Amino acid sequence: MAEEKKAKPSGVWTTVKPFVNGGASGMLATCVIQPIDMIKVRIQLGQGSAASVTKTMLKNEGFGAFYKGLSAGLLRQATYTTARLGSFRILTAKASEANEGKPLPLYQKALCGLTAGAIGACVGSPADLALIRMQADATLPAAQRRNYTNAFHALYRISADEGILALWKGCGPTVVRAMALNMGMLASYDQSAEYFRDSLNFGETSTVIGASAVSGFFAAACSLPFDYVKTQIQKMQPDAEGRYPYTGSLDCTMKTLKAGGPLKFYTGFPVYCIRIAPHVMMTWIFLNQIQKLQKKAGL
């Protein structure tokens, strides 16, 4: 009887563990990477280069400005990364089972990454909106600032002032961006990890670092154009006549192409890549360490 009682929680833990581990590793990575993320958003809002943005923020707002929106960033990881990494592991496990335990081909990993990205984005879109709003707030004229005190205050104000569905404003481009990012991040990580481990005989640490670096580059390259459009949609405000600058993501894409050409979508790519790659690397490294500790603890 005692063994049967233990088996049930064990089964539940096995199911939820990929989600718990994914969220925890993402939150730890976010604590380290938040300042770079803030600079990336300011560059996309047209405030200058990485150096000038950093200097201006330090001079006018102080060091604490780099961590503005951290609560929203952590909430985003607790929802988005929990859902996407957990879903990816569940999906790849099911696919591997259907494939009789053989390594999955790249296209199947990519499909799992696309699906996991869509699931994660739908779950994490409200927190992502709160994060963008809080990071962009200081760039607005004083009269237009929303002055959210934390992520939960932002979510409450958005739903109260604009309606509950406004929490998913920009969800379309968010989902598309997440699908592109996760296809690049998750599929390339698993594929390169297999290559480094099985073909190049790398050790565990070298495999994790090398695969996560490859993963970070592809995540950035695949997702930045969608991230740019998503940011423009989420930060827009109506003019004096109540009209928004863009009617949707397609309108934003076409106007951006007309105004700046295709390279406009890669505004801030070096900083974005520097921000995405370390976050991806740290997420995988933290995840690896969490799994090691759980293994030692027999979890």
Side-chain angles (χ1 to χ4, degrees), residues 22-283:
S25 59
M27 291 172 77
L28 288 169
T30 292
C31 289
V32 180
I33 217 69
Q34 179 71 11
I36 299 175
D37 191 42
M38 172 63 81
I39 294 169
K40 183 266 296 183
V41 170
R42 295 290 182 93
I43 290 172
Q44 287 184 329
L45 294 175
Q47 292 199 338
S49 66
S52 64
V53 166
T54 302
K55 185 178 178 181
T56 302
M57 286 178 67
L58 282 171
K59 182 180 178 181
N60 299 336
E61 303 172 58
F63 183 75
F66 291 99
Y67 280 92
K68 191 175 182 65
L70 178 61
S71 60
L74 292 175
L75 180 61
R76 180 176 182 270
Q77 294 300 318
T79 52
Y80 169 61
T81 300
T82 296
R84 67 175 175 144
L85 289 186
S87 298
F88 182 71
R89 287 303 168 212
I90 295 294
L91 290 168
T92 52
K94 292 290 184 184
S96 181
E97 190 179 305
N99 205 28
E100 299 178 349
K102 298 175 185 175
L104 296 178
L106 181 59
Y107 83 91
Q108 288 189 9
K109 292 172 185 169
L111 287 174
C112 290
L114 284 168
T115 306
I119 293 169
C122 289
V123 174
S125 188
D128 191 51
L129 175 62
L131 175 62
I132 294 294
R133 291 270 186 101
M134 291 176 73
Q135 289 179 328
D137 207 42
T139 69
L140 299 172
Q144 295 180 19
R145 291 178 187 173
R146 300 177 177 97
N147 298 313
Y148 301 136
T149 56
N150 55 56
F152 295 103
H153 179 234
L155 294 175
Y156 169 75
R157 282 274 307 280
I158 293 169
S159 57
D161 298 345
E162 305 170 46
I164 193 73
L165 292 180
L167 293 172
W168 279 269
K169 182 180 287 186
C171 185
T174 298
V175 169
V176 174
R177 180 251 189 192
M179 291 172 71
L181 186 148
N182 284 282
M183 180 184 69
M185 172 186 170
L186 301 174
S188 66
Y189 178 82
D190 274 14
Q191 191 72 19
S192 55
E194 285 178 12
Y195 178 74
F196 291 146
R197 183 180 60 247
D198 301 335
S199 299
L200 300 181
N201 296 317
F202 278 17
E204 181 183 344
T205 302
S206 300
T207 295
V208 172
I209 293 173
S212 60
V214 172
S215 174
F217 174 80
F218 279 102
C222 291
S223 66
L224 181 55
F226 303 101
D227 183 78
Y228 181 88
V229 172
K230 175 183 73 71
T231 301
Q232 299 305 310
I233 293 292
Q234 288 183 326
K235 79 176 182 67
M236 66 180 180
Q237 285 194 323
D239 59 19
E241 298 178 1
R243 292 178 299 189
Y244 285 94
Y246 309 112
T247 57
S249 56
L250 181 60
D251 183 49
C252 178
T253 300
M254 298 309 295
K255 285 180 177 176
T256 301
L257 273 173
K258 187 177 179 181
L263 291 180
K264 182 68 175 175
F265 294 106
Y266 282 90
T267 300
F269 179 74
V271 173
Y272 183 75
C273 194
I274 289 170
R275 179 254 165 183
I276 288 291
H279 191 282
V280 168
M281 291 178 71
M282 284 184 287
T283 298

